[in-house]
Amino acid sequence: MSDGEHSILAPSDAERWARCVGALLMSKGVEEPDKEYSASGTCSHFILERSLKDQLNPDIFLGQTMEFNGFKFVIDQDRIERVRATMVNIYREPGQMWVEHLLNTSPVLDVPNQIGHADIIKVDPIGEVIIKEQSYIGVLSVHDFKDGYLRVMAQDNLQGLLYLASALYEWDLATDIQALRFCIHQPKIGHYDEWSYTRKEIEDFTVAIRPAAKLAYQLYYGIVKFDPAQHLSAGDTQCFWCPVRGRCPARAQRIVGLFADAITAHEIDDVRLAQLYVRLEEIEQACKDYRIEAHRRAMMGRPIAGQKLVRGNKGKRKWAEPGRAESAMALLVPDDKMYQPRELISPTQAEKNLREHYASVQPFVTQSEGGLVLVPVDDPRAAVELPKFNILPEELPQ
Ligand code: SF4
């Protein structure tokens, strides 16, 4: 297979290459920084795939050790429960099911040799969806299992749209499909989201995505000359998982730009503070990225002006030979000075260990109220009303 036959426009990476067409070229050959995180996701996907394909109870994987991309995972009850919750939701929807289905994305992107894997596809020719008060019969759904903490929404999700458009292309001759739905399952954070599109909306998406896909592909293979000023476009979404985010000039410019307004003002007013506040996570992540990048370069022997490598704090001391240490200590001190007292496990650990029996100890649990935290207005938690200051007339200064 020649280099030009590579599938590079992965649907799971679509938010990046479609919003920043130079990103794929910039990160060519650069290792994925969060390898363990994605290996853990692959592990959960494997259990889901096997359980659905072979109609297994996921419990059979409990306690097994699995290895993905060099990382080992012991399958615990939590992981099993996340897979089970996703399975229950998927089984609930009627229609024929395809698991871990290979989709040809080339006809949608108009770029050769591109593929993607959809976790689950369901096709229900008599299923009905109501979109903007209009009924559509013939539904194709793509279900995406995400075993991470970062909440992902289904509406306008480029990964989902690309799956739907490619699946529509594949099923179009076999079934009359009028509506398409993208469903996100994130049991780790108790999140499920779905969004339905009409066939026309998916067809419009296909037309809209092509220019970006084509340009990203041409830049990657040197068919079009790369111009950072023109082809890099930094943003919260596309830079978040980009492996070159710690060294990309466009991203650095964006982070600095976030303060541009603030530093020209006489004082940071409430509006500017709010604008900065919603960007804090991005700014904090950027700081972390620059630390990692500087450390990486220093470790390669590249000088980082004004910095040097030193040994950090030593690790926690532990017994190299606990048996011999115990015998030696027994000659020197009494038992109560040698052993740690037994301690009751925490309620969190008890819930994990006791499972359905946790209810019997729950009355003995106490928990303090959480402190007040500032979160985006669309956070599902109810807003806390602060007490109003009621000044009685007699308290007013005379
Ligand atoms: S860090 Fe952002 S701007 Fe830079 S290449 Fe990646 S996605 Fe594009």
Side-chain angles (χ1 to χ4, degrees):
M1 186 186 274
S2 82
D3 200 24
E5 286 174 308
H6 239 55
S7 177
I8 54 166
L9 300 166
S12 56
D13 203 16
E15 298 286 351
R16 192 163 71 97
W17 56 252
R19 291 172 193 271
C20 174
V21 287
L24 286 181
L25 173 66
M26 282 283 285
S27 50
K28 201 174 191 173
V30 175
E31 273 205 13
E32 166 72 49
D34 306 301
K35 284 198 285 190
E36 186 170 1
Y37 184 81
S38 51
S40 173
T42 310
C43 173
S44 300
H45 274 82
F46 172 80
I47 298 171
L48 178 68
E49 180 189 348
R50 284 285 315 278
S51 304
L52 286 173
K53 267 189 179 161
D54 303 334
Q55 298 184 354
L56 301 172
N57 181 335
D59 281 337
I60 65 157
F61 297 101
L62 189 63
Q64 287 189 26
T65 302
M66 295 186 183
E67 190 171 335
F68 294 88
N69 305 333
F71 295 96
K72 284 191 177 153
F73 303 97
V74 178
I75 310 307
D76 62 9
Q77 195 68 46
D78 284 354
R79 197 183 289 266
I80 296 290
E81 292 312 327
R82 297 198 297 273
V83 170
R84 198 194 317 280
T86 306
M87 288 174 71
V88 168
N89 270 342
I90 289 167
Y91 279 138
R92 208 172 273 157
E93 191 189 25
Q96 195 177 347
M97 177 167 72
W98 284 262
V99 180
E100 198 56 29
H101 186 75
L102 177 70
L103 284 167
N104 178 8
T105 55
S106 281
V108 173
L109 300 174
D110 197 21
V111 169
N113 305 307
Q114 302 305 306
I115 55 165
H117 286 89
D119 291 343
I120 287 97
I121 295 180
K122 283 209 153 180
V123 179
D124 184 7
I126 55 166
E128 182 187 20
V129 165
I130 308 288
I131 303 171
K132 292 180 190 145
E133 294 173 14
Q134 204 174 323
S135 158
Y136 294 86
I137 307 287
V139 184
L140 184 151
S141 308
V142 170
H143 293 257
D144 195 44
F145 173 41
K146 296 200 181 295
D147 201 20
Y149 287 105
L150 192 75
R151 185 181 297 264
V152 183
M153 307 309 286
Q155 185 180 7
D156 297 332
N157 182 302
L158 294 185
Q159 178 185 13
L161 281 159
L162 189 44
Y163 285 144
L164 294 177
S166 309
L168 176 62
Y169 196 87
E170 186 173 330
W171 266 269
D172 209 17
L173 287 179
T175 319
D176 185 15
I177 293 160
Q178 293 305 321
L180 299 102
R181 185 167 43 217
F182 184 52
C183 313
I184 290 180
H185 303 258
Q186 267 188 291
K188 207 175 222 175
I189 52 167
H191 173 66
Y192 169 79
D193 193 36
E194 62 173 46
W195 193 260
S196 298
Y197 302 89
T198 63
R199 182 192 173 89
K200 168 84 170 56
E201 286 173 324
I202 296 297
E203 286 165 353
D204 289 348
F205 163 76
T206 301
V207 175
I209 192 83
R210 278 182 180 163
K214 205 162 191 154
L215 185 53
Y217 179 88
Q218 289 172 329
L219 287 165
Y220 187 87
Y221 288 114
I223 302 164
V224 168
K225 195 166 177 291
F226 176 55
D227 172 5
Q230 203 189 332
H231 298 130
L232 292 183
S233 168
D236 190 7
T237 314
Q238 59 268 46
C239 298
F240 192 85
W241 293 114
C242 187
V244 294
R245 58 186 187 262
R247 58 183 102 160
C248 171
R251 205 280 188 109
Q253 216 163 30
R254 173 180 160 82
I255 297 297
V256 172
L258 295 175
F259 295 93
D261 248 16
I263 51 182
T264 54
H266 169 64
E267 181 187 86
I268 299 178
D269 60 19
D270 292 352
V271 176
R272 286 194 176 88
L273 186 60
Q275 286 164 351
L276 273 180
Y277 195 88
V278 294
R279 294 274 162 240
L280 282 186
E281 277 183 26
E282 190 181 348
I283 294 163
E284 281 164 0
Q285 195 209 24
C287 296
K288 206 170 131 202
D289 295 335
Y290 297 131
R291 275 186 216 288
I292 292 171
E293 181 61 16
H295 185 262
R296 186 186 72 84
R297 290 187 193 187
M299 291 296 283
M300 286 165 60
R302 286 167 69 171
I304 306 294
Q307 309 296 319
K308 62 181 179 183
L309 283 172
V310 294
R311 289 242 166 254
N313 291 339
K314 283 188 174 182
K316 227 173 154 184
R317 284 179 298 174
K318 52 186 181 189
W319 299 118
E321 293 182 65
R324 292 183 71 178
E326 190 178 17
S327 314
M329 222 185 302
L331 301 172
L332 304 168
V333 288
D335 275 10
D336 63 333
K337 294 251 179 331
M338 267 181 69
Y339 299 101
Q340 279 178 347
R342 277 202 316 164
E343 204 182 308
L344 198 60
I345 55 172
S346 69
T348 312
Q349 193 58 49
E351 188 174 18
K352 230 174 171 179
N353 295 358
L354 302 179
R355 298 171 59 75
E356 66 272 18
H357 302 298
Y358 175 66
S360 6
V361 295
Q362 201 168 19
F364 314 120
V365 175
T366 177
Q367 199 169 20
S368 60
E369 279 294 328
L372 292 182
V373 286
L374 204 51
V375 298
V377 281
D378 57 2
D379 187 282
R381 287 168 288 183
V384 174
E385 289 292 333
L386 290 177
K388 303 260 181 309
F389 292 105
N390 290 324
I391 302 178
L392 299 170
E394 61 269 23
E395 290 174 341
L396 288 170
Q398 299 301 311

